[in-house]
Amino acid sequence: MEIDFDVVIESDDYSVEMSKGLETLQGASEVTRQVFETILLEKVPQHLTTNSKVRTKLMRSFKGSYGQSFCLETDDQELEKRLKSIGKQAFAELLSYFINESLYRETKLLSVKAERIRAKLGPLEDELITQMRRSSLAHLHSVSTHFGKTVKLRYRKNRDVQTVLADLDQFSFSALNPKVDKTKVVINASITRLNINTGNGRLQIEGEAETVAFGFPNRYADVRQVAKKQFSKNLDDNNGLPNEKRIKLKLEAHTLKLKSGKIIKYLIEGIIN
């Protein structure tokens, strides 16, 4: 069983500088294998080698800016069986989820099947995201960072149907190296998503339309149980309510910022009663 993907690099003449183009393709291979090896082997790969049971294979190039197809495959019968039981669509959803989560972006709601697989990973999710931020996502951004070109990673359902899993550019690359601002801020926000294994999630600040990532400065296991329950309760109480009617928590936090000053994550230090 193969899962087909492609990388599309912005180009006016259907060509790309070879060195950085190859580095971008390397990044596409790395992030794809890291996600799938973690799911299939239930272990985050620290080093990707040609001896791995999961591999990517270059297919054909195509026009449309500059495009290169590749596929994910395995010849291990047990992994093949697990791959088939999970399905191509769920894998594509999870790849998109982990890339965008690594870049502190809002992610699309996962299907029931994909969400069940994600939840089963538990603490491996944070470990996987940390590993992706180390080098593979930087490689995937190579053409963007050096030439200002946009890069799209897509899932190819068939020749005519492709789904964009991630859009990458210079701005998204900057999220890989945020600045920690220790200045304390107080915000009124409602919790819109919460991972009970890692403590990471999304919140919506009062008066704002977009959500922002949040987490905790220390291990989630060390966060007091009473605080965990307040976050979970806020999420439950606001389920299905429009933003203007949601119950807000008054939170003290410090932040992760981009060079532009944009806040991409709040690190919660406490709840102000």
Side-chain angles (χ1 to χ4, degrees):
M1 177 180 175
E2 294 181 351
I3 305 180
D4 296 320
F5 301 95
D6 64 38
V7 178
V8 181
I9 300 171
E10 178 189 7
S11 173
D12 295 328
D13 60 359
Y14 308 118
S15 66
V16 65
E17 195 275 332
M18 190 170 183
S19 174
K20 300 308 174 187
L22 289 174
E23 199 168 298
T24 294
L25 295 178
Q26 175 188 347
S29 171
E30 288 171 344
V31 297
T32 305
R33 289 176 61 188
Q34 283 172 337
V35 171
F36 295 129
E37 286 195 31
T38 301
I39 293 170
L40 292 176
L41 299 173
E42 298 180 345
K43 181 180 179 182
V44 177
Q46 303 301 311
H47 304 285
L48 297 169
T49 69
T50 54
N51 295 324
S52 171
K53 295 179 180 179
V54 179
R55 59 183 173 273
T56 50
K57 181 172 66 177
L58 287 174
M59 305 296 280
R60 59 193 175 281
S61 60
F62 58 89
K63 289 187 177 182
S65 287
Y66 175 84
Q68 176 68 55
S69 299
F70 69 99
C71 71
L72 177 87
E73 63 179 12
T74 178
D75 55 11
D76 183 281
Q77 292 186 349
E78 186 59 35
L79 294 186
E80 177 87 5
K81 190 184 301 181
R82 294 184 64 190
L83 190 58
K84 287 181 178 178
S85 69
I86 292 169
K88 297 180 179 181
Q89 181 61 44
F91 264 125
E93 287 182 58
L94 289 162
L95 178 56
S96 178
Y97 170 85
F98 283 116
I99 292 174
N100 287 298
E101 192 75 5
S102 299
L103 298 171
Y104 303 96
R105 291 171 165 175
E106 177 66 280
T107 55
K108 293 181 179 178
L109 188 66
L110 292 171
S111 65
V112 173
K113 189 175 188 180
E115 174 58 25
R116 188 169 61 246
I117 296 164
R118 185 207 63 78
K120 188 180 177 183
L121 290 176
L124 284 178
E125 179 174 341
D126 254 6
E127 188 182 339
L128 170 60
I129 287 171
T130 298
Q131 185 68 11
M132 290 171 68
R133 286 174 181 155
R134 273 195 191 118
S135 62
S136 57
L137 281 172
H139 291 156
L140 186 55
H141 279 88
S142 187
V143 169
S144 299
T145 54
H146 288 86
F147 298 103
K149 303 295 186 181
T150 60
V151 175
K152 296 181 188 293
L153 178 62
R154 306 190 304 183
Y155 162 57
R156 296 179 67 90
K157 185 175 182 180
N158 53 50
R159 188 177 65 178
D160 302 313
V161 179
Q162 297 90 35
T163 302
V164 176
L165 303 180
D167 275 298
L168 308 167
D169 53 26
Q170 288 176 311
F171 183 77
S172 60
F173 174 74
S174 66
L176 295 176
N177 296 287
K179 177 184 176 182
V180 178
D181 187 341
K182 286 290 187 178
T183 306
K184 291 184 180 180
V185 296
V186 175
I187 57 174
N188 291 314
S190 54
I191 307 304
T192 62
R193 183 159 63 83
L194 176 65
N195 185 321
I196 61 172
N197 292 310
T198 66
N200 291 315
R202 308 284 298 186
L203 56 76
Q204 190 163 28
I205 295 175
E206 189 171 24
E208 298 292 334
E210 296 183 352
T211 64
V212 185
F214 81 89
F216 297 88
N218 302 312
R219 294 188 316 148
Y220 189 51
D222 297 330
V223 175
R224 290 184 306 141
Q225 192 63 29
V226 64
K228 291 179 180 179
K229 287 183 177 180
Q230 283 180 277
F231 279 88
S232 297
K233 185 176 187 303
N234 185 261
L235 179 63
D236 291 339
D237 289 345
N238 291 327
N239 187 28
L241 295 179
N243 187 34
E244 63 273 12
K245 292 186 178 181
R246 290 175 182 164
I247 299 168
K248 308 298 190 297
L249 295 174
K250 192 172 185 179
L251 304 169
E252 186 174 57
H254 66 273
T255 61
L256 293 183
K257 292 182 177 180
L258 304 182
K259 288 182 180 179
S260 64
K262 180 181 175 64
I263 295 172
I264 58 173
K265 188 171 185 176
Y266 287 90
L267 297 169
I268 308 301
E269 297 188 12
I271 301 173
I272 301 174
N273 295 316

